[in-house]
Amino acid sequence: MKIKAFENKVWLSSPTMHGEELEYMTLAYRTNWMSTLGENIDETEKIICEKIGRKHGVGLSCGTASLHMAVRLAGEKLFGTPEPGKGALSGKRVFCTDMTFDATVNPILYEGGTPVFIDTESDTWNMDPRALEKAFALYPDTKLVMLAHLYGVPAKLEEIKALVRQHGALLIEDAAESFGATYQGVQTGSFGDVSCISFNGNKIITGSSGGMLLTDDGADADKVRKWSTQSREKAPWYQHRELGYNYRMSNVIAGVVRGQLPHLEEHIAQKKKIYERYRDGLSDLPVKMNPFDERNSVPNYWLSCMIIDRDAMCPQERNDLCASFTPQKGKSCPTQILESLAAINAEGRPIWKPMHLQPIYAGFDFVTADGLAEKGTLNDTGSDIFTRGLCLPSDNKMLPWQQDIIIEAIHRCFT
Ligand SMILES: *Cc1c(COP(=O)(O)O)cnc(C)c1O
């Protein structure tokens, strides 16, 4: 019998509100701090610094803006202040996570940098330290590494930090997806020279939008505060010596984030339950959940993902814009599963397509554990995970009975 579609869509990851958000937004309204200044911003910065264990936080309009400011900061630290209109990284290489959302990479190009993509490892689906080591051997003068923690699972920070230190480089940590996850008991967002988190609508907690830059260096935090408010000098008129941006967080948005913060751990607990229900419910199929290093890390379980065993994959074709598959008895593929989920009104998603396969980034170098790869290679760990993996509906508000139906729909793909 066909499975009946959900009346209300089950989302991949949608905002989960609790009431306090509205109170703090209303506070901004009542006190007329309808601006990029106010108590909500100050409190949000303070609470997040305490939670993550950093000295300074700067609330910004989104995670991407935070990453842009982080890149700008690192560039100026390494190479000095550029001429107005020139990027702070002009022509400089940056070693960058390959399998991530493109917001990790775009800021490198905003500043004229040249990303070198580093392949993914299969233990945590993050940057492969062996490939990073190869990249440093190829380009030993590279001074900046951009590291993302995918789907809320911390990367191999010990190995990566050791390489970064050994080469006197700086680390920018993109913890947009991993707020609340820990590595060796320490919060992600505390490992970069500069780190960034995001409050985009689909993240573990949200402000509808928003982001934060984190650092232990007070002078750096002050710089970002200045740059993100159009680089106004302390003068009676609008006086400018440096390039400016309008990137500051709104006090209304900060109210939403402030109201969400008490619920971070609750969201993580809900996401963990979802992950474990999938893990148990799918354990009889030739699939595995997205892995993490149980010895060193506790993820925030932001998205539950699965990967199909190689010999259980039916033929699947993907070009740049669409996908198809050929059904086969006892086998399946991400395309088939995503279509089956869509048919019951549940939202899954392919794995983030690796950057070296994106038309915009295909011309840049890509380094695997074997060294510099051929352009457009599919013979790498990231491409393999993209081919065989998918993100499952992971919404906090999904009920156990709904998840059981999703698990049943996945089983039917393998009959
Ligand atoms: C969401 C996300 C960002 C960008 O955050 P925004 O707030 O949407 O700008 C950056 N990097 C990663 C890995 C993300 O998932």
Side-chain angles (χ1 to χ4, degrees):
M1 216 178 73
K2 231 177 99 192
I3 301 177
K4 213 167 131 270
F6 297 119
E7 216 163 289
N8 298 312
K9 184 163 179 168
V10 176
W11 297 95
L12 184 76
S13 182
S14 74
T16 303
M17 293 294 127
H18 303 274
E20 292 104 309
E21 299 87 349
L22 189 57
E23 286 172 32
Y24 288 121
M25 286 165 77
T26 308
L27 173 73
Y29 182 91
R30 262 198 300 109
T31 56
N32 204 38
W33 287 103
M34 300 297 282
S35 173
T36 52
L37 284 172
E39 180 188 310
N40 286 333
I41 301 176
D42 297 343
E43 280 303 305
T44 297
E45 288 175 347
K46 196 174 119 225
I47 294 164
I48 289 176
C49 281
E50 276 165 14
K51 169 79 187 173
I52 295 187
R54 296 224 70 151
K55 293 208 179 90
H56 306 278
V58 184
L60 296 167
S61 56
C62 62
T64 311
S66 316
L67 286 162
H68 185 191
M69 293 294 88
V71 165
R72 178 100 197 165
L73 207 51
E76 294 212 2
K77 220 177 251 292
L78 291 165
F79 311 113
T81 306
E83 303 265 303
K86 293 256 163 53
L89 289 174
S90 287
K92 305 288 196 223
R93 287 192 185 87
V94 181
F95 296 148
C96 184
T97 295
D98 179 56
M99 197 169 81
T100 182
F101 186 50
D102 76 337
T104 308
V105 192
N106 290 341
I108 298 171
L109 277 89
Y110 299 166
E111 291 301 327
T114 304
V116 173
F117 297 111
I118 309 297
D119 196 14
T120 310
E121 39 83 2
S122 49
D123 300 337
T124 77
W125 293 9
N126 287 302
M127 182 188 283
D128 185 345
R130 294 169 311 158
L132 181 62
E133 191 170 10
K134 279 272 164 34
F136 270 120
L138 272 167
Y139 302 118
D141 56 349
T142 303
K143 290 292 171 222
L144 187 56
V145 176
M146 171 68 88
L147 174 73
H149 305 293
L150 204 73
Y151 301 138
V153 174
K156 293 187 172 175
L157 281 158
E158 190 172 324
E159 293 89 332
I160 290 168
K161 288 269 298 189
L163 286 164
V164 167
R165 219 175 296 121
Q166 191 186 320
H167 291 87
L170 296 179
L171 180 70
I172 300 176
E173 184 190 19
D174 178 356
E177 299 179 1
S178 68
F179 184 29
T182 61
Y183 182 84
Q184 296 178 348
V186 179
Q187 291 278 320
T188 60
S190 66
F191 290 91
D193 293 282
V194 202
S195 300
C196 298
I197 56 176
S198 161
F199 310 112
N200 179 307
N202 69 8
K203 300 296 200 277
I204 190 89
I205 63 161
T206 183
S208 73
S209 66
M212 193 167 290
L213 178 141
L214 298 150
T215 173
D216 294 328
D217 185 323
D220 283 354
D222 287 344
K223 256 188 216 165
V224 172
R225 277 175 211 282
K226 181 183 168 192
W227 292 345
S228 62
T229 47
Q230 301 295 16
S231 290
R232 294 170 59 176
E233 298 295 333
K234 288 197 178 70
W237 44 80
Y238 287 138
Q239 176 83 11
H240 305 283
R241 301 158 54 96
E242 296 180 280
L243 191 59
Y245 306 84
N246 182 7
Y247 277 176
R248 203 64 165 116
M249 179 181 271
S250 146
N251 193 48
V252 179
I253 299 288
V256 185
V257 179
R258 187 179 178 187
Q260 288 260 285
L261 278 166
H263 300 280
L264 172 61
E265 291 305 325
E266 171 190 334
H267 285 195
I268 294 174
Q270 289 164 344
K271 297 269 193 185
K272 182 178 183 197
K273 276 221 176 88
I274 289 170
Y275 180 95
E276 290 173 344
R277 198 173 190 89
Y278 278 129
R279 186 195 58 199
D280 298 344
L282 300 171
S283 61
D284 58 333
L285 290 178
V287 306
K288 286 172 194 68
M289 297 300 291
N290 55 322
F292 59 94
D293 174 358
E294 285 176 49
R295 251 178 338 111
N296 280 312
S297 67
V298 182
N300 69 2
Y301 299 93
W302 175 54
L303 289 190
S304 286
C305 306
M306 55 171 262
I307 183 162
I308 301 170
D309 291 352
R310 245 177 228 100
D311 52 13
M313 280 282 290
C314 69
Q316 172 184 247
E317 292 275 348
R318 276 175 174 164
N319 65 23
D320 262 359
L321 294 174
C322 60
S324 62
F325 67 96
T326 312
Q328 247 177 26
K329 205 172 150 38
K331 300 186 175 188
S332 188
C333 65
T335 303
Q336 181 179 20
I337 294 170
L338 290 170
E339 283 182 14
S340 301
L341 294 180
I344 60 167
N345 205 17
E347 185 189 27
R349 189 166 292 173
I351 296 297
W352 291 191
K353 184 174 177 177
M355 290 300 121
H356 79 278
L357 298 179
Q358 302 284 0
I360 178 175
Y361 288 121
F364 294 97
D365 283 352
F366 173 54
V367 181
T368 72
D370 296 328
L372 191 62
E374 267 181 57
K375 295 277 182 264
T377 187
L378 294 167
N379 199 11
D380 57 277
T381 306
S383 298
D384 181 43
I385 296 170
F386 175 61
T387 301
R388 297 191 287 125
L390 68 142
C391 308
L392 296 163
S394 305
D395 198 68
N396 302 50
K397 296 170 295 310
M398 176 170 62
L399 298 167
W401 68 266
Q402 293 175 310
Q403 198 179 345
D404 288 344
I405 289 174
I406 289 165
I407 290 169
E408 169 60 19
I410 297 169
H411 272 85
R412 291 192 184 189
C413 292
F414 285 91
T415 53

